[in-house]
Amino acid sequence: ERDVLEKCYEVGTDCAFAAYAFTRHWLSVFVGENYRYPAVVMHEMGHNLNLAHSGGTDQRTYTDHTCLMGDPLWEDDLGRMCFNPAKNWQIARGGQR
């Protein structure tokens, strides 16, 4: 069983990314008001659960648009996303290898 505590720390807005998080850790840091976007929060929470970024068939990071660990949709009205089957399997195993 895994407990995750997401703490919001808002930092300046001059960064080139929306947020960052530590793997297997409770800390996620959000740039500006990006904590307001559920997809960004879930993406960072995925890192807290030891999930890496999802890439597409081109083997590049952030090109898998089917998973929150790829390139999440930021707007609530654009669609719904979840973790892909591979990420769900990893969460269910508790990040074990």
Side-chain angles (χ1 to χ4, degrees), residues 34 36-40 72-81:
N34 287 314
R36 299 175 133 203
Y37 298 106
V40 175
L73 303 171
W74 288 29
E75 300 289 333
D76 285 338
D77 60 349
L78 289 179
R80 296 180 182 185
M81 294 188 80

Side-chain angles (χ1 to χ4, degrees), residues 3-67:
D3 293 322
V4 174
L5 173 62
E6 185 88 2
K7 289 196 175 189
C8 271
Y9 290 100
E10 185 177 340
V11 296
T13 58
D14 293 338
C15 298
F17 49 87
Y20 66 90
F22 294 92
T23 57
R24 294 183 182 217
H25 199 270
W26 56 265
L27 181 61
S28 292
V29 178
F30 298 87
V31 177
E33 294 187 352
N34 287 314
Y35 63 88
R36 299 175 133 203
Y37 298 106
V40 175
V41 172
M42 290 302 297
H43 178 93
E44 299 311 323
M45 192 174 276
H47 288 309
N48 295 141
L49 292 170
N50 199 37
L51 300 181
H53 289 137
S54 293
T57 56
D58 60 359
Q59 299 179 356
R60 295 179 60 188
T61 305
Y62 291 122
T63 56
D64 178 1
H65 302 289
T66 66
C67 178

